[in-house]
Amino acid sequence: MKYISMLILLFSISALSIYADEIIIDGCTVYFSELNNEQKEEIIELREDLLVKSNEIKDQLKSIRYKIQQEMRKETPDWGYMDDLNKRFFALQGQLTNELLKYKSKLEEITYKNNSKQNSLTIID
């Protein structure tokens, strides 16, 4: 059950549109065009940093997944090695989730706490 919930969490977070015109956090919308230039630059840098980090982690996940598949094809797989690979795999998934949560937190900080135009936030129905 925990694997399914992790998968759902990863899927929902990865479905975020990273380069959108609007930023939606906790039901509130901030339009990118309404932010000042400093905020825009911070957000662009934050997005690029997230993409670099998440791509590195995803590459590592693919590598581990490939190693797991190779081991499973053997007549007598080494279950200890498989266990180690699975632990590394789920640790990396946790790391990816943490990176996405840090991104969301920093995004909130940039858009809400630094935003002097609080009236630009609108609640989504």
mmCIF file of all heavy atoms in Angstrom, residues 24-63:
data_model
loop_
_atom_site.group_PDB
_atom_site.id
_atom_site.type_symbol
_atom_site.label_atom_id
_atom_site.label_comp_id
_atom_site.label_asym_id
_atom_site.label_seq_id
_atom_site.Cartn_x
_atom_site.Cartn_y
_atom_site.Cartn_z
ATOM 1 N N ILE A 24 -0.127 27.873 -9.054
ATOM 2 C CA ILE A 24 -1.237 27.532 -8.165
ATOM 3 C C ILE A 24 -0.674 26.786 -6.962
ATOM 4 O O ILE A 24 -0.069 25.740 -7.109
ATOM 5 C CB ILE A 24 -2.284 26.663 -8.875
ATOM 6 C CG1 ILE A 24 -2.815 27.399 -10.100
ATOM 7 C CG2 ILE A 24 -3.416 26.301 -7.926
ATOM 8 C CD1 ILE A 24 -3.699 26.557 -10.993
ATOM 9 N N ILE A 25 -0.881 27.368 -5.788
ATOM 10 C CA ILE A 25 -0.414 26.751 -4.556
ATOM 11 C C ILE A 25 -1.542 26.829 -3.541
ATOM 12 O O ILE A 25 -2.054 27.904 -3.250
ATOM 13 C CB ILE A 25 0.836 27.467 -3.997
ATOM 14 C CG1 ILE A 25 1.965 27.443 -5.023
ATOM 15 C CG2 ILE A 25 1.274 26.821 -2.696
ATOM 16 C CD1 ILE A 25 3.160 28.253 -4.638
ATOM 17 N N ASP A 26 -1.901 25.679 -2.994
ATOM 18 C CA ASP A 26 -2.942 25.590 -1.966
ATOM 19 C C ASP A 26 -4.233 26.298 -2.376
ATOM 20 O O ASP A 26 -4.852 27.000 -1.592
ATOM 21 C CB ASP A 26 -2.433 26.153 -0.638
ATOM 22 C CG ASP A 26 -1.274 25.359 -0.090
ATOM 23 O OD1 ASP A 26 -1.213 24.147 -0.377
ATOM 24 O OD2 ASP A 26 -0.434 25.929 0.625
ATOM 25 N N GLY A 27 -4.630 26.125 -3.633
ATOM 26 C CA GLY A 27 -5.903 26.668 -4.089
ATOM 27 C C GLY A 27 -5.866 28.132 -4.474
ATOM 28 O O GLY A 27 -6.875 28.701 -4.848
ATOM 29 N N CYS A 28 -4.714 28.792 -4.382
ATOM 30 C CA CYS A 28 -4.591 30.200 -4.750
ATOM 31 C C CYS A 28 -3.756 30.309 -6.015
ATOM 32 O O CYS A 28 -2.828 29.551 -6.226
ATOM 33 C CB CYS A 28 -3.936 31.004 -3.637
ATOM 34 S SG CYS A 28 -4.930 31.075 -2.144
ATOM 35 N N THR A 29 -4.095 31.283 -6.839
ATOM 36 C CA THR A 29 -3.398 31.480 -8.107
ATOM 37 C C THR A 29 -2.639 32.792 -8.085
ATOM 38 O O THR A 29 -3.178 33.820 -7.700
ATOM 39 C CB THR A 29 -4.402 31.512 -9.281
ATOM 40 O OG1 THR A 29 -5.148 30.307 -9.273
ATOM 41 C CG2 THR A 29 -3.686 31.662 -10.602
ATOM 42 N N VAL A 30 -1.381 32.724 -8.474
ATOM 43 C CA VAL A 30 -0.575 33.927 -8.686
ATOM 44 C C VAL A 30 -0.147 33.871 -10.136
ATOM 45 O O VAL A 30 0.415 32.881 -10.583
ATOM 46 C CB VAL A 30 0.675 33.942 -7.770
ATOM 47 C CG1 VAL A 30 1.544 35.140 -8.097
ATOM 48 C CG2 VAL A 30 0.281 33.937 -6.308
ATOM 49 N N TYR A 31 -0.431 34.928 -10.883
ATOM 50 C CA TYR A 31 -0.060 34.964 -12.287
ATOM 51 C C TYR A 31 1.377 35.458 -12.421
ATOM 52 O O TYR A 31 1.777 36.439 -11.793
ATOM 53 C CB TYR A 31 -1.024 35.831 -13.095
ATOM 54 C CG TYR A 31 -2.387 35.206 -13.161
ATOM 55 C CD1 TYR A 31 -3.372 35.551 -12.250
ATOM 56 C CD2 TYR A 31 -2.664 34.218 -14.093
ATOM 57 C CE1 TYR A 31 -4.615 34.939 -12.281
ATOM 58 C CE2 TYR A 31 -3.899 33.602 -14.136
ATOM 59 C CZ TYR A 31 -4.874 33.966 -13.227
ATOM 60 O OH TYR A 31 -6.089 33.347 -13.254
ATOM 61 N N PHE A 32 2.143 34.728 -13.209
ATOM 62 C CA PHE A 32 3.563 35.012 -13.383
ATOM 63 C C PHE A 32 3.776 36.442 -13.856
ATOM 64 O O PHE A 32 4.713 37.110 -13.448
ATOM 65 C CB PHE A 32 4.160 33.997 -14.366
ATOM 66 C CG PHE A 32 5.654 33.980 -14.398
ATOM 67 C CD1 PHE A 32 6.380 33.422 -13.356
ATOM 68 C CD2 PHE A 32 6.335 34.510 -15.475
ATOM 69 C CE1 PHE A 32 7.761 33.402 -13.381
ATOM 70 C CE2 PHE A 32 7.721 34.485 -15.511
ATOM 71 C CZ PHE A 32 8.437 33.931 -14.459
ATOM 72 N N SER A 33 2.892 36.932 -14.709
ATOM 73 C CA SER A 33 3.029 38.283 -15.261
ATOM 74 C C SER A 33 2.845 39.368 -14.197
ATOM 75 O O SER A 33 3.286 40.496 -14.385
ATOM 76 C CB SER A 33 2.030 38.500 -16.392
ATOM 77 O OG SER A 33 0.718 38.345 -15.910
ATOM 78 N N GLU A 34 2.219 39.036 -13.066
ATOM 79 C CA GLU A 34 1.982 40.023 -12.013
ATOM 80 C C GLU A 34 3.128 40.105 -11.006
ATOM 81 O O GLU A 34 3.096 40.926 -10.107
ATOM 82 C CB GLU A 34 0.675 39.711 -11.283
ATOM 83 C CG GLU A 34 -0.539 39.858 -12.166
ATOM 84 C CD GLU A 34 -1.826 39.456 -11.491
ATOM 85 O OE1 GLU A 34 -1.773 38.938 -10.353
ATOM 86 O OE2 GLU A 34 -2.882 39.651 -12.095
ATOM 87 N N LEU A 35 4.126 39.253 -11.148
ATOM 88 C CA LEU A 35 5.267 39.271 -10.234
ATOM 89 C C LEU A 35 6.288 40.291 -10.709
ATOM 90 O O LEU A 35 6.372 40.610 -11.898
ATOM 91 C CB LEU A 35 5.916 37.888 -10.172
ATOM 92 C CG LEU A 35 5.020 36.753 -9.674
ATOM 93 C CD1 LEU A 35 5.755 35.423 -9.805
ATOM 94 C CD2 LEU A 35 4.586 36.980 -8.240
ATOM 95 N N ASN A 36 7.089 40.795 -9.779
ATOM 96 C CA ASN A 36 8.143 41.733 -10.192
ATOM 97 C C ASN A 36 9.299 40.950 -10.810
ATOM 98 O O ASN A 36 9.354 39.726 -10.725
ATOM 99 C CB ASN A 36 8.590 42.628 -9.031
ATOM 100 C CG ASN A 36 9.227 41.848 -7.901
ATOM 101 O OD1 ASN A 36 9.961 40.885 -8.126
ATOM 102 N ND2 ASN A 36 8.958 42.262 -6.669
ATOM 103 N N ASN A 37 10.213 41.661 -11.443
ATOM 104 C CA ASN A 37 11.311 41.010 -12.171
ATOM 105 C C ASN A 37 12.196 40.163 -11.266
ATOM 106 O O ASN A 37 12.660 39.104 -11.674
ATOM 107 C CB ASN A 37 12.157 42.050 -12.907
ATOM 108 C CG ASN A 37 11.439 42.615 -14.112
ATOM 109 O OD1 ASN A 37 10.562 41.970 -14.665
ATOM 110 N ND2 ASN A 37 11.807 43.822 -14.506
ATOM 111 N N GLU A 38 12.427 40.624 -10.054
ATOM 112 C CA GLU A 38 13.249 39.863 -9.117
ATOM 113 C C GLU A 38 12.596 38.519 -8.768
ATOM 114 O O GLU A 38 13.255 37.486 -8.739
ATOM 115 C CB GLU A 38 13.473 40.687 -7.846
ATOM 116 C CG GLU A 38 14.388 40.028 -6.845
ATOM 117 C CD GLU A 38 14.580 40.886 -5.612
ATOM 118 O OE1 GLU A 38 14.884 42.080 -5.752
ATOM 119 O OE2 GLU A 38 14.410 40.337 -4.505
ATOM 120 N N GLN A 39 11.282 38.553 -8.537
ATOM 121 C CA GLN A 39 10.550 37.316 -8.230
ATOM 122 C C GLN A 39 10.571 36.372 -9.426
ATOM 123 O O GLN A 39 10.751 35.160 -9.269
ATOM 124 C CB GLN A 39 9.108 37.636 -7.833
ATOM 125 C CG GLN A 39 8.987 38.292 -6.490
ATOM 126 C CD GLN A 39 7.578 38.780 -6.222
ATOM 127 O OE1 GLN A 39 6.918 39.344 -7.101
ATOM 128 N NE2 GLN A 39 7.107 38.547 -5.008
ATOM 129 N N LYS A 40 10.401 36.918 -10.625
ATOM 130 C CA LYS A 40 10.424 36.094 -11.837
ATOM 131 C C LYS A 40 11.770 35.397 -11.995
ATOM 132 O O LYS A 40 11.827 34.207 -12.299
ATOM 133 C CB LYS A 40 10.120 36.941 -13.076
ATOM 134 C CG LYS A 40 8.689 37.395 -13.180
ATOM 135 C CD LYS A 40 8.494 38.276 -14.400
ATOM 136 C CE LYS A 40 7.091 38.818 -14.469
ATOM 137 N NZ LYS A 40 6.891 39.698 -15.631
ATOM 138 N N GLU A 41 12.854 36.144 -11.785
ATOM 139 C CA GLU A 41 14.182 35.571 -11.909
ATOM 140 C C GLU A 41 14.410 34.471 -10.871
ATOM 141 O O GLU A 41 14.993 33.427 -11.180
ATOM 142 C CB GLU A 41 15.244 36.661 -11.768
ATOM 143 C CG GLU A 41 15.315 37.592 -12.961
ATOM 144 C CD GLU A 41 16.286 38.746 -12.758
ATOM 145 O OE1 GLU A 41 17.118 38.682 -11.832
ATOM 146 O OE2 GLU A 41 16.198 39.710 -13.535
ATOM 147 N N GLU A 42 13.947 34.713 -9.637
ATOM 148 C CA GLU A 42 14.086 33.700 -8.583
ATOM 149 C C GLU A 42 13.329 32.424 -8.943
ATOM 150 O O GLU A 42 13.841 31.316 -8.753
ATOM 151 C CB GLU A 42 13.562 34.239 -7.246
ATOM 152 C CG GLU A 42 14.459 35.231 -6.571
ATOM 153 C CD GLU A 42 13.880 35.677 -5.245
ATOM 154 O OE1 GLU A 42 13.769 34.846 -4.326
ATOM 155 O OE2 GLU A 42 13.532 36.870 -5.127
ATOM 156 N N ILE A 43 12.124 32.589 -9.469
ATOM 157 C CA ILE A 43 11.301 31.432 -9.816
ATOM 158 C C ILE A 43 11.920 30.666 -10.982
ATOM 159 O O ILE A 43 11.968 29.435 -10.974
ATOM 160 C CB ILE A 43 9.853 31.866 -10.135
ATOM 161 C CG1 ILE A 43 9.165 32.326 -8.846
ATOM 162 C CG2 ILE A 43 9.073 30.738 -10.796
ATOM 163 C CD1 ILE A 43 7.803 32.937 -9.046
ATOM 164 N N ILE A 44 12.420 31.377 -11.983
ATOM 165 C CA ILE A 44 13.054 30.709 -13.125
ATOM 166 C C ILE A 44 14.285 29.944 -12.671
ATOM 167 O O ILE A 44 14.490 28.787 -13.054
ATOM 168 C CB ILE A 44 13.398 31.740 -14.231
ATOM 169 C CG1 ILE A 44 12.104 32.247 -14.878
ATOM 170 C CG2 ILE A 44 14.324 31.137 -15.268
ATOM 171 C CD1 ILE A 44 12.286 33.435 -15.795
ATOM 172 N N GLU A 45 15.088 30.561 -11.816
ATOM 173 C CA GLU A 45 16.277 29.883 -11.286
ATOM 174 C C GLU A 45 15.882 28.665 -10.451
ATOM 175 O O GLU A 45 16.499 27.610 -10.547
ATOM 176 C CB GLU A 45 17.077 30.870 -10.441
ATOM 177 C CG GLU A 45 18.379 30.316 -9.926
ATOM 178 C CD GLU A 45 19.144 31.356 -9.125
ATOM 179 O OE1 GLU A 45 19.293 32.494 -9.597
ATOM 180 O OE2 GLU A 45 19.589 31.004 -8.017
ATOM 181 N N LEU A 46 14.831 28.814 -9.664
ATOM 182 C CA LEU A 46 14.339 27.712 -8.833
ATOM 183 C C LEU A 46 13.851 26.551 -9.700
ATOM 184 O O LEU A 46 14.156 25.385 -9.417
ATOM 185 C CB LEU A 46 13.204 28.232 -7.950
ATOM 186 C CG LEU A 46 12.690 27.365 -6.838
ATOM 187 C CD1 LEU A 46 13.782 27.100 -5.810
ATOM 188 C CD2 LEU A 46 11.509 28.056 -6.150
ATOM 189 N N ARG A 47 13.150 26.855 -10.771
ATOM 190 C CA ARG A 47 12.653 25.817 -11.680
ATOM 191 C C ARG A 47 13.796 25.084 -12.372
ATOM 192 O O ARG A 47 13.785 23.862 -12.499
ATOM 193 C CB ARG A 47 11.731 26.421 -12.740
ATOM 194 C CG ARG A 47 10.400 26.830 -12.211
ATOM 195 C CD ARG A 47 9.598 27.511 -13.271
ATOM 196 N NE ARG A 47 8.286 27.896 -12.772
ATOM 197 C CZ ARG A 47 7.480 28.717 -13.393
ATOM 198 N NH1 ARG A 47 7.815 29.248 -14.540
ATOM 199 N NH2 ARG A 47 6.306 29.024 -12.875
ATOM 200 N N GLU A 48 14.771 25.855 -12.839
ATOM 201 C CA GLU A 48 15.911 25.238 -13.512
ATOM 202 C C GLU A 48 16.686 24.337 -12.560
ATOM 203 O O GLU A 48 17.117 23.249 -12.935
ATOM 204 C CB GLU A 48 16.817 26.316 -14.108
ATOM 205 C CG GLU A 48 16.189 27.007 -15.293
ATOM 206 C CD GLU A 48 16.984 28.191 -15.807
ATOM 207 O OE1 GLU A 48 17.997 28.567 -15.168
ATOM 208 O OE2 GLU A 48 16.591 28.751 -16.841
ATOM 209 N N ASP A 49 16.860 24.792 -11.320
ATOM 210 C CA ASP A 49 17.545 23.992 -10.304
ATOM 211 C C ASP A 49 16.783 22.700 -10.034
ATOM 212 O O ASP A 49 17.371 21.623 -9.934
ATOM 213 C CB ASP A 49 17.699 24.812 -9.021
ATOM 214 C CG ASP A 49 18.533 24.111 -7.979
ATOM 215 O OD1 ASP A 49 19.619 23.608 -8.321
ATOM 216 O OD2 ASP A 49 18.086 24.074 -6.807
ATOM 217 N N LEU A 50 15.457 22.811 -9.946
ATOM 218 C CA LEU A 50 14.628 21.616 -9.722
ATOM 219 C C LEU A 50 14.770 20.644 -10.889
ATOM 220 O O LEU A 50 14.902 19.434 -10.671
ATOM 221 C CB LEU A 50 13.161 22.001 -9.549
ATOM 222 C CG LEU A 50 12.173 20.830 -9.476
ATOM 223 C CD1 LEU A 50 12.373 20.043 -8.186
ATOM 224 C CD2 LEU A 50 10.751 21.299 -9.611
ATOM 225 N N LEU A 51 14.757 21.154 -12.107
ATOM 226 C CA LEU A 51 14.877 20.281 -13.275
ATOM 227 C C LEU A 51 16.209 19.541 -13.282
ATOM 228 O O LEU A 51 16.259 18.345 -13.564
ATOM 229 C CB LEU A 51 14.711 21.085 -14.563
ATOM 230 C CG LEU A 51 13.294 21.526 -14.886
ATOM 231 C CD1 LEU A 51 13.292 22.448 -16.097
ATOM 232 C CD2 LEU A 51 12.394 20.340 -15.132
ATOM 233 N N VAL A 52 17.291 20.237 -12.958
ATOM 234 C CA VAL A 52 18.610 19.607 -12.937
ATOM 235 C C VAL A 52 18.653 18.510 -11.874
ATOM 236 O O VAL A 52 19.052 17.373 -12.152
ATOM 237 C CB VAL A 52 19.722 20.657 -12.683
ATOM 238 C CG1 VAL A 52 21.049 19.991 -12.365
ATOM 239 C CG2 VAL A 52 19.857 21.582 -13.879
ATOM 240 N N LYS A 53 18.210 18.857 -10.659
ATOM 241 C CA LYS A 53 18.250 17.884 -9.566
ATOM 242 C C LYS A 53 17.330 16.695 -9.836
ATOM 243 O O LYS A 53 17.717 15.546 -9.627
ATOM 244 C CB LYS A 53 17.853 18.543 -8.246
ATOM 245 C CG LYS A 53 18.898 19.467 -7.699
ATOM 246 C CD LYS A 53 18.443 20.093 -6.395
ATOM 247 C CE LYS A 53 19.489 21.046 -5.850
ATOM 248 N NZ LYS A 53 19.023 21.707 -4.618
ATOM 249 N N SER A 54 16.120 16.970 -10.306
ATOM 250 C CA SER A 54 15.174 15.871 -10.531
ATOM 251 C C SER A 54 15.626 14.978 -11.687
ATOM 252 O O SER A 54 15.454 13.761 -11.632
ATOM 253 C CB SER A 54 13.756 16.398 -10.772
ATOM 254 O OG SER A 54 13.690 17.157 -11.956
ATOM 255 N N ASN A 55 16.243 15.557 -12.709
ATOM 256 C CA ASN A 55 16.745 14.733 -13.816
ATOM 257 C C ASN A 55 17.887 13.839 -13.371
ATOM 258 O O ASN A 55 17.983 12.688 -13.809
ATOM 259 C CB ASN A 55 17.163 15.606 -14.999
ATOM 260 C CG ASN A 55 15.977 16.124 -15.779
ATOM 261 O OD1 ASN A 55 14.895 15.543 -15.735
ATOM 262 N ND2 ASN A 55 16.179 17.227 -16.470
ATOM 263 N N GLU A 56 18.759 14.351 -12.504
ATOM 264 C CA GLU A 56 19.844 13.529 -11.966
ATOM 265 C C GLU A 56 19.286 12.349 -11.174
ATOM 266 O O GLU A 56 19.732 11.212 -11.336
ATOM 267 C CB GLU A 56 20.759 14.361 -11.075
ATOM 268 C CG GLU A 56 21.612 15.365 -11.818
ATOM 269 C CD GLU A 56 22.378 16.301 -10.890
ATOM 270 O OE1 GLU A 56 22.261 16.170 -9.650
ATOM 271 O OE2 GLU A 56 23.106 17.159 -11.411
ATOM 272 N N ILE A 57 18.306 12.627 -10.342
ATOM 273 C CA ILE A 57 17.704 11.568 -9.524
ATOM 274 C C ILE A 57 16.980 10.567 -10.415
ATOM 275 O O ILE A 57 17.078 9.353 -10.210
ATOM 276 C CB ILE A 57 16.754 12.169 -8.462
ATOM 277 C CG1 ILE A 57 17.563 12.999 -7.453
ATOM 278 C CG2 ILE A 57 15.975 11.077 -7.745
ATOM 279 C CD1 ILE A 57 16.706 13.813 -6.495
ATOM 280 N N LYS A 58 16.264 11.064 -11.417
ATOM 281 C CA LYS A 58 15.547 10.164 -12.326
ATOM 282 C C LYS A 58 16.507 9.270 -13.091
ATOM 283 O O LYS A 58 16.209 8.092 -13.327
ATOM 284 C CB LYS A 58 14.678 10.978 -13.292
ATOM 285 C CG LYS A 58 13.455 11.586 -12.640
ATOM 286 C CD LYS A 58 12.682 12.448 -13.617
ATOM 287 C CE LYS A 58 11.527 13.150 -12.947
ATOM 288 N NZ LYS A 58 10.798 14.010 -13.888
ATOM 289 N N ASP A 59 17.660 9.809 -13.478
ATOM 290 C CA ASP A 59 18.669 8.984 -14.155
ATOM 291 C C ASP A 59 19.171 7.872 -13.229
ATOM 292 O O ASP A 59 19.353 6.734 -13.662
ATOM 293 C CB ASP A 59 19.840 9.838 -14.630
ATOM 294 C CG ASP A 59 19.485 10.720 -15.817
ATOM 295 O OD1 ASP A 59 18.459 10.442 -16.479
ATOM 296 O OD2 ASP A 59 20.228 11.693 -16.074
ATOM 297 N N GLN A 60 19.387 8.209 -11.970
ATOM 298 C CA GLN A 60 19.818 7.205 -11.005
ATOM 299 C C GLN A 60 18.740 6.146 -10.800
ATOM 300 O O GLN A 60 19.039 4.955 -10.676
ATOM 301 C CB GLN A 60 20.171 7.855 -9.666
ATOM 302 C CG GLN A 60 21.404 8.734 -9.719
ATOM 303 C CD GLN A 60 21.663 9.444 -8.397
ATOM 304 O OE1 GLN A 60 21.172 9.049 -7.349
ATOM 305 N NE2 GLN A 60 22.443 10.506 -8.459
ATOM 306 N N LEU A 61 17.485 6.581 -10.766
ATOM 307 C CA LEU A 61 16.369 5.631 -10.621
ATOM 308 C C LEU A 61 16.306 4.679 -11.811
ATOM 309 O O LEU A 61 16.089 3.478 -11.646
ATOM 310 C CB LEU A 61 15.040 6.380 -10.468
ATOM 311 C CG LEU A 61 14.797 7.072 -9.135
ATOM 312 C CD1 LEU A 61 13.569 7.974 -9.217
ATOM 313 C CD2 LEU A 61 14.638 6.064 -8.020
ATOM 314 N N LYS A 62 16.502 5.203 -13.015
ATOM 315 C CA LYS A 62 16.503 4.351 -14.206
ATOM 316 C C LYS A 62 17.625 3.326 -14.149
ATOM 317 O O LYS A 62 17.432 2.160 -14.512
ATOM 318 C CB LYS A 62 16.660 5.205 -15.475
ATOM 319 C CG LYS A 62 15.440 5.994 -15.852
ATOM 320 C CD LYS A 62 15.723 6.861 -17.070
ATOM 321 C CE LYS A 62 14.607 7.838 -17.322
ATOM 322 N NZ LYS A 62 14.914 8.761 -18.432
ATOM 323 N N SER A 63 18.793 3.773 -13.704
ATOM 324 C CA SER A 63 19.932 2.874 -13.587
ATOM 325 C C SER A 63 19.654 1.745 -12.599
ATOM 326 O O SER A 63 19.936 0.576 -12.886
ATOM 327 C CB SER A 63 21.162 3.670 -13.145
ATOM 328 O OG SER A 63 22.223 2.810 -12.867
#
